[in-house]
C-alpha cells in the first residue's frame, strides 16, 4: 500500500512539475476526446490553450521584470528598510509543494472536486491543477501552527471547497463583464478577495457622493478617444512609475512603452486561450444537458491569468503598484517590503471588477483597503511562512529577517483559515461549518437552476 501511494504521489508530483503550459493542453485534449469533439479539434484546442498560456506568461514575465527593478530603485531612492522581504509567488508555490501537505495535494483536491461534482455542490471542473498549491500553502501553515499534518490536509480541503463555491458564484459576472463564457476561476488567491469586495461594494452603495462616482474604461475611451485607449493609459502609468523611481530618460520611456504593450498584449493572449477553450466548454455543457437532468451549467476552472487582461483590471493595478510601496512605508505595524509579487496585483482584481460592475473608481478604493489589510496579514503570517520555507530548505535571502509574499502571504482567506485553526477544535469546526454550509447553499442554487433550465 505504501508503495502504491508513493507511486501516486510521485506521478502527480511529476505532473505538477510540467507546469500549466504543458499540463493544460494535455487535459484539454483528453476532455475534448472524451466529449467526442474529435481528435483533430481536441488537439487544436489543447495546443491553442498551451500557446495562450505561454503567451500570457511571457507578457506577465515582461511586466514583472520591468516593474521589479523600478520598485527596487524606488526603495533605494527613498531609503526604505523593512525587515520582511516579499519573495514572490514562485517561492511560495515551491514552499507549498515541498511541504508534506503539498506532496499529496493534487490527488486529494481532484478527489474532492469529483465528489463535489457528483453531489451537485459545485459546477466547476477545476483543471488548473498547478494552482492547487494555494490550498497546499494554507495546509502547510496550519500544519506548522498545529503540529498536525492531518489537520493541515483538512484545512487545505476546506479551503478548496470554499474557493470552488466562490468560483461558481462569480462565474456569471465573468461572462458578463469579462466576456469569459463557460469559465470559472477557482483560484486560491484571486477568489479570496471576493467576500471582502462584496462587503466593501455594499458599503460604498450607502455612502452619499461616493456611490455616484463611476469610472469606466470604455467610457473613458469614448470620451478621450485615442488617449483613453489601454495602450496610452499603460504608457502614461509606466512613465509616472519611471519618473518616481528616478530612472533616466531612456529608462522612463522604456518602462512607459513596455507597460503600454502589456495592456495591449495580455488581452490578446487571453483571447487566444479562450479560442481553445470555447469548443471544450460548449461540448461539456451539451454533454451535461443531454445526460444529467439535475445539473445546471458546468464551468471549466482555470488560472486567473485568463482574466487579468481586462482594461480596468490592468489600469487600476498599475496605479496601485507605486501606491503599494508607499503604503508599506507609512502603514503602522507593517514590516513587509513589497517587491517580487507586485506583478501579481492584477490577480487581486480579476473578480473584483465584475463585483463593482467595471467601475474603476470603486475598484481603486477597494484595492487600497485590500492592500492595507493584505500588508498586515503578510506581516502576521511572516513567521510561519519563514518556518515553512526553512522546512522546505528554501534559502532566506541575505538581509531579510523573515520572508512573506503578497501571493499568498496577503491572502485573507488563508489567514482566516490559519488563525481559526490556531484556536483549536472550535476554530476548525467554524471553518468546517462555513465550508459545508456554503456547499449546501450552492447545491440548492444549482438544483434550482437545473430545474429552470430543463422545465
Amino acid at each position: 500500500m505504501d508503495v502504491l501511494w508513493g507511486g501516486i504521489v510521485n506521478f502527480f508530483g511529476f505532473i505538477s512539475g510540467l507546469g500549466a503550459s504543458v499540463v493544460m493542453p494535455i487535459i484539454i485534449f483528453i476532455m475534448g476526446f472524451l466529449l467526442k469533439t474529435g481528435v483533430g479539434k481536441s488537439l487544436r484546442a489543447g495546443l491553442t490553450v498551451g500557446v495562450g498560456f505561454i503567451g500570457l506568461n511571457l507578457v506577465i514575465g515582461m511586466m514583472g521584470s520591468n516593474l521589479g527593478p523600478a520598485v527596487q530603485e524606488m526603495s533605494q531612492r527613498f531609503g526604505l528598510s523593512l525587515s520582511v522581504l516579499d519573495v514572490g509567488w514562485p517561492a511560495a508555490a515551491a514552499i507549498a509543494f515541498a511541504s508534506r501537505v503539498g506532496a499529496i495535494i493534487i490527488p486529494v483536491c481532484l478527489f474532492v472536486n469529483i465528489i463535489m461534482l457528483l453531489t451537485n455542490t459545485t459546477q466547476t471542473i477545476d483543471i488548473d491543477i498547478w494552482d492547487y498549491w494555494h490550498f497546499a500553502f494554507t495546509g502547510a501553515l496550519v500544519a506548522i501552527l498545529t503540529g498536525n499534518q492531518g489537520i493541515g490536509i483538512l484545512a487545505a480541503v476546506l479551503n478548496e471547497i470554499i474557493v470552488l463555491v466562490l468560483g461558481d458564484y462569480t462565474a456569471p459576472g465573468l461572462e458578463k463583464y469579462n466576456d469569459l463564457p463557460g469559465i470559472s476561476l477557482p483560484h486560491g488567491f484571486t477568489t479570496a478577495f471576493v467576500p471582502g469586495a462584496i462587503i466593501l461594494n455594499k458599503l460604498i452603495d450607502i455612502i452619499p457622493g461616493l456611490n455616484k462616482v463611476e469610472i469606466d474604461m470604455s467610457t473613458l475611451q469614448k470620451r478621450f478617444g485615442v488617449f483613453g485607449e489601454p495602450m496610452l493609459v499603460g504608457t502614461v502609468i509606466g512613465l509616472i512609475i519611471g519618473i518616481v523611481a528616478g530612472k533616466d530618460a531612456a529608462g522612463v520611456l522604456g518602462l512607459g512603452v513596455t507597460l503600454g504593450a502589456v495592456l495591449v498584449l495580455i488581452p490578446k493572449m487571453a483571447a487566444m486561450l479562450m479560442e481553445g477553450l470555447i469548443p471544450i466548454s460548449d461540448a461539456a455543457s451539451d454533454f451535461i444537458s443531454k445526460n444529467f437532468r439535475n445539473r445546471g451549467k458546468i464551468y471549466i476552472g482555470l488560472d486567473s491569468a485568463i482574466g487579468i487582461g481586462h482594461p480596468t483590471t490592468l489600469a487600476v493595478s498599475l496605479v496601485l503598484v507605486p501606491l503599494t510601496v508607499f503604503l508599506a512605508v507609512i502603514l503602522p505595524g507593517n514590516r513587509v517590503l513589497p517587491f517580487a509579487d507586485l506583478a501579481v496585483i492584477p490577480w487581486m482584481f480579476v473578480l473584483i471588477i465584475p463585483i463593482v460592475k467595471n467601475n474603476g473608481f470603486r475598484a481603486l478604493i477597494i484595492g487600497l483597503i485590500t492592500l492595507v489589510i493584505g500588508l498586515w496579514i503578510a506581516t502576521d503570517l511572516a513567521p510561519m511562512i519563514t518556518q515553512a520555507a526553512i522546512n522546505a530548505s528554501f534559502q532566506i535571502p541575505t538581509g531579510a529577517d523573515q520572508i512573506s509574499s503578497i501571493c499568498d502571504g496577503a491572502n485573507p482567506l488563508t489567514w482566516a483559515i490559519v488563525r481559526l485553526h490556531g484556536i483549536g477544535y472550535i476554530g476548525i469546526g467554524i471553518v468546517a461549518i462555513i465550508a459545508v454550509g456554503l456547499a449546501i447553499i450552492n447545491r440548492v442554487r444549482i438544483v434550482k437552476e437545473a430545474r429552470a433550465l430543463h422545465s
Side-chain angles (χ1 to χ4, degrees), residues 95-116:
I95 291 167
F97 274 132
S99 69
R100 292 185 180 180
V101 177
I104 63 170
I105 197 65
I106 292 178
V108 168
C109 285
L110 284 173
F111 178 74
V112 171
N113 191 190
I114 291 169
I115 293 299
M116 291 185 69

Side-chain angles (χ1 to χ4, degrees), residues 117-140:
L117 285 165
L118 292 175
T119 56
N120 252 357
T121 50
T122 188
Q123 296 167 279
T124 294
I125 303 172
D126 189 3
I127 64 174
D128 183 27
I129 61 175
W130 162 255
D131 278 318
Y132 289 0
W133 77 261
H134 296 281
F135 310 136
F137 187 85
T138 300

